[in-house]
Each structure stands twice: as structure tokens, then as C-alpha cells.
Amino acid sequence: MAQNTTIPINVGVVLDLDSRLGKIGLSCINMALSDFYASHSNYNTRLVLHTRDSTRDVVVAADAALDLIKNVEVQAIIGLKSSKQANFVIDLGDKAQVPIMSFSATSPSLRGSYFFRIAQNDSSQVRAISTIIQAFGWSEAVPISVDNEFGEAVIPYLTTALQEVGARIPYWSVIPSKATDDQIVAELYRLMSMQTKVFIVHMLPSLGSRFFAKAKDIGMMEEGNVWITTNGMANSFSTSSSSVDIDNMQGVLGLKTYVPNTKDLENFRARWQTKFQQDNPTILNVKLDVFGLWAYDAAWALALAVEKVGGTNFSFRKMNGSHNSTDLGSLEVSQGGPELVRELSSTRFRGISGDFSLINGQLQSSTFQVVNVNDNGERGIGYWTPQNGLVRNIISTRNTNRYSTSNASLGPIIWPGDTTLAPRGWQIRPNGTIKVLVPVKVGFEEFVTVRHDSSTNTTKVTGYCIEVFDAVIKALPYPVPYEFYPFAKRNGKIAGRYNDLVNQVSLGNYDAAVGDITIRANRSLYVDFTLPFTESGISMVVPIKGKHDAKSTWVFLKPLTWDLWVTSGCFSIFIGFVVWFLEHPINEDFRGSPHHQIGTSFWFAFSTMVFAHRERVVSNLGRFVVIIWCFVVLVLTQSYTASLSSILTIQQLQPIVTDVNLLLKNGDNVGYQAGSFIYEILSQLGFQDDKLRTYRSAEELDELLRNGNENGGISAAFDETPYMKLFLATYCSKYTLVEPTFKADGFAFVFQKGSLLTLDVSTAITQVHEGDKMKAIEAKWFKKKASCSNPNTAGSYDTLSLDSFWGLFIVAGVASSLSLLICVAMFLYEHGHILTCIDSKASFRTRIREVLRAYDQEDKKSKKDSVQGIAAVESSPNTNCLCLRRPSRSRHPNKIIPENVLEEEGTTCTQHSELNPNVQATQEIECAIELTAMT
């Protein structure tokens, strides 16, 4: 007979056996052990389960765990439905060195050396939630949780995740775990009154189903609301019709733990369904959920780890002799606990819920399926993974590392109210109309004007700021009804300063404020500003005085820049040289002594600047160059004349002062707009109160500047740039604007702190600025007088530069150079024999000198060539010397050569003494010389 060598290992199971989760968990644990030992029949160890019912009570669960450790000496405990139950039992496990394995305690606050969470940590889904928030552009979300360990522990993680995507939590709603219907309704009405309409629900199905039923009853499941549930509820959507009524959750989004669908899983579901119905025939419509799968894998992992440890080390060591079964001080310590923990931590296998691995006692499972609840139940619309973010198909993420935050990665969603249009996530007011406060102004009414019609008891608000606000609101992607309220007393007078107006918005009396309201650091502490819609900066306006540049000694040089002067002079010299070169061989005006020729060239070049040249130009190439140059000169002189006339005749206006320090040094009076923050800046600069004057309108400012410092007026006025530009639109001929001397952020719209409209309105301001609408509004309200369409400013004339004329100079340079090249080419073509007749031993310099001599004497040929074949004639005042080149008939077959000209080529010089009475004889000398000897 074979001996039984299996070693029993005691394992405790603590579950709420009357609950659906408890029955499913126990069933899956039993099936796991049955399947495990059926496939590993040769293993020596066998887990023996000792089940205890916690009866949904934390104290009972703790007592059951204590009893199992002290009296049964279990080596591990599986179960513990809630995080509250697990929280105390974890301490018992650490003290007794007994591993505690929970497949349903998901609170991230649970930690222990001997604690193993065979479930997803609730904190693992907060990044998925924040990605959904980011994908739809929602900037705020309200978490709703139960007031226990399960609900509260995840909120810090959720807050951090939302902050990382630019979203905030304006309010955290806490529902008591045993809340009555009245308590739930009261909290729902509070949520309904808030602007934020994105709600994240983190609670268990038992409370969550009641919560959504009441939300539907009061109308919070209608269009405009967004509901997102964590896997605490979403994992139970399709498991039991009695747990969650999805009819009350139409349009809800949920995060559901993703479990890969495999053949083993399908086989197990079928087997489990059959066994569960056999064991629990009274329970109908129950489906296996992920907690049952985790329970199965937990039991399998424990059986595998126990086998690796072996059965000889599982014993308890007595630490205290007390026999009181409830005495915590008498707990015994498991000898095999530490080794079992190590084996569990290193256990790896493919479970029915997916890959099983534990890191720091936590199951590594972080992929979620995004589901949408509608009439047909839950419907999968996509997935979220830590590596890829939102994806439509989980299979497509295997070959990419791109993290998607686009809602286009999800399938179509049916939102609450049976709409497919994504909600914007907030609403302005319950009635939908925002209250906008506007200032009442005495001066500068172009910005804001408030008119009350007593006959109709209506108030009309107009102005530049109002019209910009209207355009911005129309640019929003959704309608925003609004109504203006003047900041005035009952008698119509101003109710306070601008700080008081802004304070009304911060107190919640109004939703927004519109007008010429400047962004200030102290105001931004309690209200939100949009982007500015006007120019920023503080400018100074001062009177102007005239002066004439005609008094300047060198005023005639101002029309042209120095580079244009230099270029014009260089081109004049170049053109003179080109014309001389083209005309010198054939034009007596360009011949003579070297000094005469140089002078003529310069004279001709610069006389063309005033069209005073008298020399004839006879060559076609020369005429072409002169025509081009005269056109360039014409353009230059006309431009110069116009610019010089402007400088000499137009009065240039200069500010009387441009430095604030000079105003302080001279003790001048300065002005600022009454009620403006400019007073604080001027005081900080050092201006005394007796030197400050206030004005309320453009007319008052003009009077103060006109009176001047000597007559009780002011020397300068300080105000924001928009005011000053409006002022100069009327008084541009008397005053000028000095560029901003101080920084300011411009005018902006004001909203309550944390208002969700601020960001969208800022975006709409940018869109309006980029279009033509803003220009049209400014032209309408800041229309300049006709006399101010081109205001005079200091140094406003334009000096002509080379950039304006470089094209003309290029044309002139190309034309001149081309003509020069053509001339040289023609000369060399006609006189190529000169180079061939020179002795081949002659140097290059000699050859060039003879070519230039021939070019210089070309005019004689044109005059003396009466005898054909005569190449050159040179005469002396004392002698007649004829140097004749006898051409060859073979080279000139068509020429008639006189008989007295020798046939052979050569040169004969005959010198005759002039007939003189003192000379008795005539001597004829004939010498044959080479052409290179001619001088």
C-alpha cells in the first residue's frame, strides 16, 4: 500500500459570505485549488482552506483573522472584501509574519511587509482619468467619493494627476458610506449649483447605484453634465442586474479593468457559471467579474509559492505563554512566513486575468478599457495604456510608443441627454445669463458710455470696450448670454473707484467686469484677468515746439545718405572714363594733352549731374552710355530736390521735454487721470502732491497743457497709452507722445477667481485680434481728425539711401561695361595686324604700348588716309618723314596700289631737308627700320 506523502498547509479565507462578491470569490478560490492540484498531482503540499464570514463588519473580520492565526495557525489569509477590513488585518499579518492576500482591497493607502494586493491599485487609474479630462479640454472636475478608506485615499493621487494636465479640483464632494436618500439629494443640489459639470465618481456599486438614481431624479443626468466612474463601479456594470441599474446611468463614462480574452478564460467562465449555479441555485443573473479572476489567480499563486517553500518550514514559534485567544500580545510567529513572502514576490505565470507578477506586493496590471453606458448596456469605446494613452484598438499599440491625448482616439460617445456633442464641462449660471459690471465714466467716454433713458427706464451701454467684448463673446464656440449693470449709485453717480468695481466681482455679486480696467498685480490676487485687448504701457504726453532744419549749415547733405553720396561720385568718375575711352580716338573734344584729357573727363562726368555738358558725343556707344547715365541722374536729382524741399519747407516738431527726471529736477507740475493708479506710480517716482494735477476728460487735459507750468497748468501728463492715443487723435498738432516710460499690462476683462470663462475668452480675444474686426472697432471709436491723419513728429523726414537706387546703378554699370567691352573688341578686330607685325621677341609690355599708341593715333588715320594702304603718317615740324607700309597685293587683292609703292612689305622712311637758301644740297636718306623702332 502506497504511503500518502502530501503535506497539508492551513490557509484562512475571510469573506462576506452573504455578499455577491464573497460568494464569487470563494467559488473561484475553490476552483483554483482544484484546477491547480489536478494539473500538479505530484506536488507534496496541499492547501487546506479555513473559511470565516466577516458579515460585512470590520471588527468581525479582524477577529476572524486573529482566530485563524492564533488557533488554526494558518500560513496565509486570502480575502478581505474592503480596504477598511484589510487595514487592521495587515497589521496582524506583519506581527505574525503571515501573508495577507486581498483581491478586492484597492485603496492605495494599504501597505505592509506581508500584504499582497492581487488587484489594481486605485491610484493606477488616476492618470487614465486625467488623460480623458485633457482629451476633451475640461479645465475643472469635481471628485465624488465615499467617506472611508476606499474613497479618501485616492483623492491626493487624482489631484496631482489633474494638475499635471492643467485641470483643477474646485470642490471635493464626500458622501457618507451609510448616507440616506435625503443626504444624497442635498449634496446633489449643491453640485447642481456649481459651474463645474464634470464629476468623477469613486464609490462602490451599492452606494453608487443609489447616488445615480437620485441624480437622475433631480435632472443631473441631462445634457451638459459629464459623469466618469472609476473601476470600483465600472467593473460591476455587466456582472449583475441587481447591483447597478444602468438605466439611471445613461451617458456615463467608466474605466474598467482590461482583461485579455483568451480561450482559457472563456473555458473557465463556462465551468464557473455551471458550478456557481449548482452551488447557489437561488442567485440568478450573476456573471463572473474581474474580482473573481483575481481570487482565482491569488489562490493559484499561493499554492505555487507554498510548494516552492516546502512543507517542513511551516510552523509557529510561541512568543508568549498566555492562553487568552484574544490577547494580541500572545501572537505566534510563523517560521515560514518570510520565505513564503519571497516566493510570492518572485512568482510569475500566465493567469486567467493576464500576466501575473507582483512588484512590492502589488499586482502589475494597469491597462483600462473605456466604456460608455447607453440603452444597450456598456459599450467599449477605447482603451488606455500607460505607454500609449488613449487608443481605439489595444492591438494597434504594440508597435508604437506615441502617447495619445486626443478624444479622436476614442469611439463615438453618447453623452447624458442622449447627445453626441461633447459637453463643455461647465455652465455659467443656473439661468445661463452672466452679470457684467461696467464703469460709469465722466471723460474719455469713447471707451465706455452709459446712458439711462428715464422715459423707458432702460440703460444703454456703448463704447470701444463694450464693442470689443461683444465681438469676443460672439467668437466663443458656444453662446454666452450676458447683461450689463452700471457701477453707479441710484442717482446715476459713480459708485466708487476701479478697485471697488473689481472687488464687486471678487465678492461674487457679479460674474464679470468690462471696461477700461487695467491688469494690476494687487487685483489679480482676488480676480482673474483675461489677456489684454489693448496696447500696454504708460506714456507721457507733452507740448511740442517747432524748428527748421534749414538753419543747419550742412542741410544740403541731409537728403542723401553717405553711401549714396559716395556711390554717385564713384559712378560719375567711372562714366566719365568710359565716355572718354569711347570718344578719344575720333572726337577732338576728348583729345589733347594728358592734363587736358583728364580735366575734360571729370568736367564731362560731373557736368552731366546738372545737364551742363557741352562736348559732342559722336560714337554710338558713347551716346548709349550717356543716355543711360542721364536717366539715372534725372531720377537722382529729382529725388534729391524733393527731399531737400521737404527738409527746408516743412516744420519739424520736437517735444519740449522727453525725460521724467528733468521734470522732477525743474519741479514742474504733471497731470494724471482722476481715480487712476497712475497717482501711485508718480508718488513713487518722487512727485509731491502739490505738483500733481488731475483731469477727467480730454478737454481738461488740453486746458492744463495749454496753460503750462507757469499758469497753474502742467508740463506733461502721464496716462496709459490707449488714453493718450485717443487724446492725440484730436490734439495731434499741439502735443506729442513720448514712448512708454513705465510698464503696464493693458486693459482686460475681469472674471471671478477660477472662472472657467477666463481661458476661453482669452482665446477668443486672440482670434479677434488676428482678424479685421479689431481694426474696424478701433477705426470707429478712435477716429482721427483730418488734420491728424499724418501727424508731425520729430525728425519725420526720410533720408534717401542706396537701397532705393541700387537698381539704377546696376543698369548704368552694366550698360557702361558692355559698351567698353564692345569698343575694345572692335578695335582689336580692326587692328590685329599690329600684333602680328611686331617682332616675336618683343615683350608683352612693348606689345601693349604699341597697341595703345595705335589707339591714341587712330584719329590721324581717319584724317590722312587719302592714299590707300597708308597705315600711319607721322610728321615733324622740321622734317618731312614719311613712314610708308607697303601692303602686299596678296593680302589686299581688291586694292589698287600705286606704282610708286613697293610691292614688298616693309617700311621706308625718307627724310627731306626743307628747301632753304642756307642749305646747298638735299640729302635723302632711306632707311629700312622695323616697326618696333618707331617712336
Side-chain angles (χ1 to χ4, degrees), residues 353-606:
S353 65
D355 292 331
F356 185 96
S357 65
L358 297 172
I359 298 179
N360 297 324
Q362 170 66 54
L363 180 66
Q364 297 306 297
S365 174
S366 55
T367 299
F368 294 91
Q369 183 182 20
V370 184
V371 297
N372 181 213
V373 179
N374 51 39
D375 292 335
N376 298 323
E378 66 174 49
R379 177 173 55 89
I381 59 173
Y383 300 88
W384 178 89
T385 67
Q387 297 79 21
N388 304 105
L390 297 175
V391 294
R392 186 68 181 92
N393 192 335
I394 194 68
I395 300 177
S396 63
T397 65
R398 294 176 180 175
N399 298 323
T400 177
N401 293 322
R402 184 178 65 88
Y403 190 87
S404 172
T405 59
S406 171
N407 57 33
S409 301
L410 300 175
I413 301 174
I414 299 177
W415 301 95
D418 198 25
T419 177
T420 57
L421 181 64
R424 66 172 181 257
W426 58 276
Q427 72 174 18
I428 304 163
R429 278 179 173 268
N431 62 358
T433 302
I434 64 173
K435 298 170 62 177
V436 181
L437 193 61
V438 295
V440 176
K441 299 181 66 65
V442 176
F444 296 99
E445 293 185 342
E446 289 84 354
F447 290 97
V448 179
T449 303
V450 178
R451 294 284 185 268
H452 182 73
D453 189 347
S454 56
S455 60
T456 60
N457 195 27
T458 58
T459 301
K460 184 177 181 181
V461 182
T462 59
Y464 168 75
C465 298
I466 303 302
E467 196 159 334
V468 171
F469 183 75
D470 292 339
V472 169
I473 294 299
K474 291 178 181 178
L476 292 173
Y478 46 82
V480 179
Y482 57 90
E483 186 176 350
F484 291 118
Y485 293 84
F487 186 53
K489 300 178 182 177
R490 292 185 177 181
N491 58 3
K493 300 297 182 182
I494 299 175
R497 301 179 63 183
Y498 277 69
N499 285 339
D500 302 322
L501 181 147
V502 173
N503 191 45
Q504 290 295 314
V505 177
S506 68
L507 294 174
N509 298 329
Y510 299 91
D511 299 298
V514 172
D516 48 346
I517 306 170
T518 306
I519 301 174
R520 300 293 295 166
N522 61 326
R523 296 172 181 172
S524 63
L525 296 176
Y526 49 90
V527 294
D528 283 342
F529 286 97
T530 64
L531 291 177
F533 59 89
T534 62
E535 294 182 72
S536 61
I538 301 172
S539 300
M540 180 173 67
V541 166
V542 296
I544 52 179
K545 60 181 179 179
K547 74 161 192 170
H548 286 280
D549 276 336
K551 297 180 180 179
S552 174
T553 304
W554 303 99
V555 66
F556 66 91
L557 295 176
K558 290 188 175 182
L560 307 182
T561 58
W562 69 268
D563 55 346
L564 184 55
W565 279 114
V566 172
T567 304
S568 300
C570 292
F571 255 85
S572 297
I573 296 173
F574 175 67
I575 295 297
F577 166 75
V578 171
V579 173
W580 170 83
F581 187 86
L582 297 176
E583 295 294 316
H584 174 73
I586 59 176
N587 194 335
E588 284 292 342
D589 292 340
F590 291 89
R591 297 191 60 81
S593 64
H595 294 87
H596 175 74
Q597 293 183 53
I598 293 174
T600 301
S601 299
F602 275 97
W603 161 256
F604 181 84
F606 288 100

